[in-house]
Amino acid sequence: MGQDGDDAQGGGLERRGRRARRVRLLLIAVAAFAREAIGLRALGWGLGGRVIVRCGQGHLFATIWIPAASVKSLRFGMRRFQRCPVGRHWTIVTPVRVSELSDDDRRAAAANRDIALP
Ligand SMILES: [Zn+2]
Protein backbone atom coordinates (compact mmCIF):
# COMPACT_ATOMS: atom_id res chain seq x y z
CA MET A 1 0.00 0.00 0.00
CA GLY A 2 1.06 3.55 -0.74
CA GLN A 3 0.42 4.59 2.87
CA ASP A 4 2.92 2.09 4.28
CA GLY A 5 5.57 3.22 1.82
CA ASP A 6 5.22 6.85 2.94
CA ASP A 7 5.54 5.88 6.59
CA ALA A 8 8.70 3.90 6.01
CA GLN A 9 10.26 6.78 4.12
CA GLY A 10 9.25 9.27 6.82
CA GLY A 11 10.83 7.10 9.48
CA GLY A 12 14.08 6.97 7.54
CA LEU A 13 14.22 10.76 7.26
CA GLU A 14 13.53 11.14 10.96
CA ARG A 15 16.33 8.72 11.84
CA ARG A 16 18.75 10.71 9.69
CA GLY A 17 17.57 13.92 11.38
CA ARG A 18 18.19 12.50 14.84
CA ARG A 19 21.65 11.34 13.84
CA ALA A 20 22.51 14.79 12.44
CA ARG A 21 21.31 16.40 15.68
CA ARG A 22 23.46 14.04 17.76
CA VAL A 23 26.51 14.81 15.63
CA ARG A 24 25.84 18.55 15.95
CA LEU A 25 25.53 18.33 19.76
CA LEU A 26 28.75 16.34 19.91
CA LEU A 27 30.54 18.95 17.79
CA ILE A 28 29.27 21.74 20.06
CA ALA A 29 30.51 19.85 23.13
CA VAL A 30 33.89 19.19 21.53
CA ALA A 31 34.18 22.85 20.49
CA ALA A 32 33.34 24.00 24.03
CA PHE A 33 35.90 21.60 25.49
CA ALA A 34 38.56 22.66 22.99
CA ARG A 35 37.98 26.38 23.57
CA GLU A 36 38.42 26.02 27.33
CA ALA A 37 41.29 23.54 27.06
CA ILE A 38 43.15 25.95 24.76
CA GLY A 39 42.36 28.87 27.08
CA LEU A 40 43.64 27.00 30.15
CA ARG A 41 46.78 25.94 28.33
CA ALA A 42 47.45 29.51 27.24
CA LEU A 43 47.27 30.60 30.88
CA GLY A 44 49.68 27.85 31.94
CA TRP A 45 47.22 25.44 33.57
CA GLY A 46 47.61 22.53 31.15
CA LEU A 47 44.35 20.65 30.80
CA GLY A 48 42.81 22.00 33.97
CA GLY A 49 42.23 20.40 37.34
CA ARG A 50 42.86 22.66 40.31
CA VAL A 51 43.46 26.15 38.98
CA ILE A 52 43.72 29.50 40.73
CA VAL A 53 41.02 31.96 39.80
CA ARG A 54 40.33 35.60 40.61
CA CYS A 55 36.85 36.76 41.48
CA GLY A 56 35.22 40.02 40.43
CA GLN A 57 36.41 41.67 43.67
CA GLY A 58 40.00 40.51 43.29
CA HIS A 59 39.99 37.55 45.69
CA LEU A 60 42.22 34.62 44.71
CA PHE A 61 41.24 31.06 45.38
CA ALA A 62 41.82 27.57 44.04
CA THR A 63 38.99 25.76 42.33
CA ILE A 64 38.56 22.66 40.21
CA TRP A 65 38.33 23.71 36.57
CA ILE A 66 37.80 20.98 34.00
CA PRO A 67 36.96 22.05 30.44
CA ALA A 68 33.25 21.72 29.64
CA ALA A 69 32.43 20.01 32.93
CA SER A 70 30.86 21.79 35.86
CA VAL A 71 28.16 21.17 38.43
CA LYS A 72 28.58 24.14 40.75
CA SER A 73 28.81 27.08 38.39
CA LEU A 74 27.34 28.67 35.29
CA ARG A 75 29.89 28.79 32.53
CA PHE A 76 30.59 31.37 29.85
CA GLY A 77 33.74 30.15 28.12
CA MET A 78 36.66 31.17 30.32
CA ARG A 79 34.40 32.91 32.80
CA ARG A 80 32.25 31.20 35.37
CA PHE A 81 29.66 32.44 37.76
CA GLN A 82 30.22 30.76 41.09
CA ARG A 83 30.56 31.34 44.81
CA CYS A 84 33.75 32.94 46.08
CA PRO A 85 34.83 31.23 49.33
CA VAL A 86 36.99 34.23 50.32
CA GLY A 87 34.40 37.00 50.19
CA ARG A 88 31.45 34.57 50.54
CA HIS A 89 29.62 36.06 47.60
CA TRP A 90 28.54 35.01 44.10
CA THR A 91 30.75 36.40 41.38
CA ILE A 92 32.29 35.96 37.95
CA VAL A 93 35.66 34.20 38.23
CA THR A 94 38.39 33.81 35.60
CA PRO A 95 41.57 31.71 35.74
CA VAL A 96 44.69 33.71 36.60
CA ARG A 97 47.73 33.41 34.33
CA VAL A 98 50.21 31.12 36.12
CA SER A 99 53.14 33.43 35.36
CA GLU A 100 51.34 36.33 37.08
CA LEU A 101 51.13 34.50 40.40
CA SER A 102 53.72 35.10 43.08
CA ASP A 103 54.53 32.37 45.59
CA ASP A 104 52.49 34.29 48.17
CA ASP A 105 49.53 34.39 45.78
CA ARG A 106 49.75 30.63 45.30
CA ARG A 107 49.98 29.96 49.02
CA ALA A 108 47.06 32.26 49.79
CA ALA A 109 44.93 30.82 47.00
CA ALA A 110 45.74 27.23 47.96
CA ALA A 111 44.53 28.01 51.48
CA ASN A 112 41.24 29.20 50.03
CA ARG A 113 40.05 26.05 48.35
CA ASP A 114 36.41 25.67 47.60
CA ILE A 115 34.57 22.37 47.54
CA ALA A 116 36.19 19.58 45.52
CA LEU A 117 33.65 19.52 42.70
CA PRO A 118 34.14 20.77 39.18
ZN1 LIG B 1 35.55 37.26 46.08
Side-chain angles (χ1 to χ4, degrees), residues 30-48 65-68 77-78 95 97:
V30 167
F33 179 90
R35 194 178 53 205
E36 283 189 58
I38 289 166
L40 283 174
R41 254 183 91 84
L43 291 171
W45 294 109
L47 277 176
W65 193 303
I66 296 165
M78 294 306 287
R97 189 177 291 277

Side-chain angles (χ1 to χ4, degrees), residues 55 57 59 84 87 89:
C55 89
Q57 293 185 15
H59 302 127
C84 167
H89 58 110

